């Protein structure tokens, strides 16, 4: 894996591309940006593997690399004052006969949550997604975002407060 051979990198891509894209999409809110992050992560992977110390799971390390890459992309976009187009993601709900009402409610809930998340300031959305979706601890989020663990906890609290207001409105 560390050799950076095309075959090894191809296997890593096949095994992890979906998870990398999903995390990048959740963090950036843009399919185009997520595709760019996916490409950036795997293009630079052979170089990044030099810093992989094999302490912990490879998947966790790859998620940290992905989160950092996505966050750098969002910072760059802010500096250029680009506004992302925030398309609604396709729902992956499977609709079975008799379950149409439940599936419809699920789709509506997902769309409402996605819309509410899209309206959060990027700094709050990043902390929310890293903590609540990806399961990072506040100290890990702080390291990724360059903030303190306390600031991460505060941002998470603010994110939840804004989401509650948005979803009850």
């Amino acid at each position: 894996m560390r050799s950076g051979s095309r075959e090894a990198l191809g296997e890593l891509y096949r095994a992890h591309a979906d998870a990398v894209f999903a995390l990048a999409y959740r963090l950036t809110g843009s399919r185009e940006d997520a595709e760019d992050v996916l490409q950036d992560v795997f293009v630079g992977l052979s170089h990044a593997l030099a810093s992989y110390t094999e302490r912990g799971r490879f998947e966790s390390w790859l998620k940290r690399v992905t989160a950092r890459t996505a966050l750098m992309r969002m910072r760059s976009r802010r500096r250029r004052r680009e506004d992302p187009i925030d398309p609604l993601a396709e729902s992956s709900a499977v609709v079975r006969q008799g379950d149409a009402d439940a599936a419809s409610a699920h789709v509506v809930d997902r769309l409402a949550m996605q819309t509410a998340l899209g309206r959060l300031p990027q700094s709050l959305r990043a902390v929310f997604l890293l903590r609540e979706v990806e399961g990072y601890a506040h100290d890990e989020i702080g390291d990724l975002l360059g903030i303190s663990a306390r600031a991460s906890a505060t941002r998470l609290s603010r994110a939840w407060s804004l989401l509650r207001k948005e979803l009850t409105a």
Side-chain angles (χ1 to χ4, degrees):
M1 176 168 71
R2 283 187 184 272
S3 67
S5 73
R6 286 186 182 271
E7 296 81 22
L9 291 173
E11 281 189 38
L12 287 174
Y13 182 86
R14 285 186 289 283
H16 301 286
D18 290 343
V20 167
F21 178 83
L23 175 58
Y25 183 77
R26 284 192 298 268
L27 288 172
T28 64
S30 162
R31 180 171 290 282
E32 180 182 289
D33 285 338
E35 289 169 353
D36 289 344
V37 168
L38 175 68
Q39 180 179 348
D40 291 348
V41 166
F42 282 98
V43 165
L45 194 57
S46 60
H47 178 60
L49 282 170
S51 69
Y52 178 53
T53 60
E54 296 188 34
R55 289 183 299 173
R57 295 182 41 216
F58 175 78
E59 293 82 7
S60 299
W61 175 82
L62 186 59
K63 282 185 176 184
R64 284 192 302 277
V65 169
T66 301
R68 285 187 190 113
T69 304
L71 294 169
M72 286 187 319
R73 176 148 186 86
M74 291 185 305
R75 284 184 196 120
S76 172
R77 182 182 23 175
R78 268 199 316 264
R79 281 193 298 266
R80 291 188 315 247
R81 296 178 190 236
E82 293 178 11
D83 292 322
I85 299 172
D86 198 12
L88 296 176
E90 306 86 32
S91 173
S92 60
V94 176
V95 179
R96 295 186 184 100
Q97 199 166 18
D99 291 339
D101 290 340
S104 294
H106 177 72
V107 169
V108 169
D109 289 346
R110 283 188 60 178
L111 291 175
M113 183 62 162
Q114 184 174 5
T115 300
L117 280 171
R119 291 185 179 151
L120 286 177
Q122 184 276 326
S123 61
L124 301 183
R125 184 175 70 227
V127 169
F128 180 87
L129 292 170
L130 289 170
R131 176 73 177 155
E132 300 299 338
V133 177
E134 296 300 322
Y136 285 97
H138 286 296
D139 58 335
E140 294 172 306
I141 295 168
D143 289 343
L144 284 170
L145 301 179
I147 60 176
S148 68
R150 178 83 175 130
S152 174
T154 300
R155 288 181 185 184
L156 179 64
S157 177
R158 288 182 185 152
W160 272 114
S161 178
L162 290 172
L163 286 171
R164 279 188 207 99
K165 286 179 187 175
E166 182 76 25
L167 293 171
T168 57

